[in-house]
Amino acid sequence: MSHRHFNIEERNCIAYGIKHEKSMREISRILSCSHSSILREIRRKKNCGAKLKLTEELSNEIIKRLEKHHSPEQIAGRLKKEKLVKKLSFKSVYNWIYKGLLPKISILNLRRKGKRSSCHDGRGKIGGKRSSILTMVERVSRFTYIYILEGKVSESVRSKIKLLRNSLPKRLLKTVTLDNGKEFSKHREIELDNLISIYFSNLGSPHERGTNENTNGLLREYFPKGRDLSKVSNTELSEVLLELNTRPRKCLNYNTPLEVLQLYL
């Protein structure tokens, strides 16, 4: 007889139900399975080998990083890299959250679901008619630069890229890939101003600039649609930049963008 195999989300649902004193039949109705499958899963978990103990020190480390919007996978990977733990599965972090074992932390704290080159991805706008943000992402390190645009957007984009160019060693900014928005209408002037080459992604092909599209998704968590970005202070902007650029990334072997960029400065 075949048995039902539960994925991590279903197992977390079972743990949540048990914590809130739901019956086996109530949980089984939610997961559309038999109550005997739920019972088997609970017995299987009880018979598993010894798990990593959630100490107060480990709990505090996890809480601190969750409050900085790190994902459970980033937390597990970084803690192992820093040798604060020998073994830790991101599934354990999820389980501790769902079981309420991390003080003041709930599922609301969870975020939504090779060759060295000197290339940057550029993005049009995050924002609306009143205000917008220019984002520039260094492709190898994932280091992010963000600028509030003022006045005529195309002129503001031109001046912000000039500002970025002057703040970096010349070898670190040679090409920029942009989308096809009107804000980049002065791309030829930008090339001449900064002695760089500009490329454009194909229309309707955001995957060609996947790094920047993903970064814009992260920024939406800080600057949701409808917010007047002209009222964002330099202090808040700096805090967001620091949080993004010191967040470990799986694609960087759980190093941070800042750590990787510093290797080339």
Side-chain angles (χ1 to χ4, degrees), residues 12 19 90 102 125 133 151 163 176 189 200 202 213 237 241 256-257 261:
N12 286 330
K19 182 177 184 295
F90 70 89
L102 300 173
K125 296 188 295 181
I133 286 178
L163 180 65
V176 176
E189 290 90 336
F200 288 90
N202 290 312
E213 291 296 326
L237 206 62
L241 268 175
T256 70
L261 184 66

Side-chain angles (χ1 to χ4, degrees), residues 64-85:
K64 178 177 69 176
R65 294 163 197 252
L66 283 170
E67 289 175 342
K68 292 181 179 179
H69 302 100
H70 296 190
S71 71
E73 186 174 33
Q74 290 169 340
I75 292 170
R78 184 68 182 191
L79 288 176
K80 287 184 286 187
K81 188 174 188 67
E82 293 178 1
K83 300 187 181 337
L84 295 178
V85 294

Side-chain angles (χ1 to χ4, degrees), residues 112-128:
R112 65 173 180 83
K113 295 190 167 176
K115 176 183 178 182
R116 171 66 194 175
S117 64
S118 52
C119 300
H120 282 64
D121 273 346
R123 176 64 173 121
K125 296 188 295 181
I126 291 180

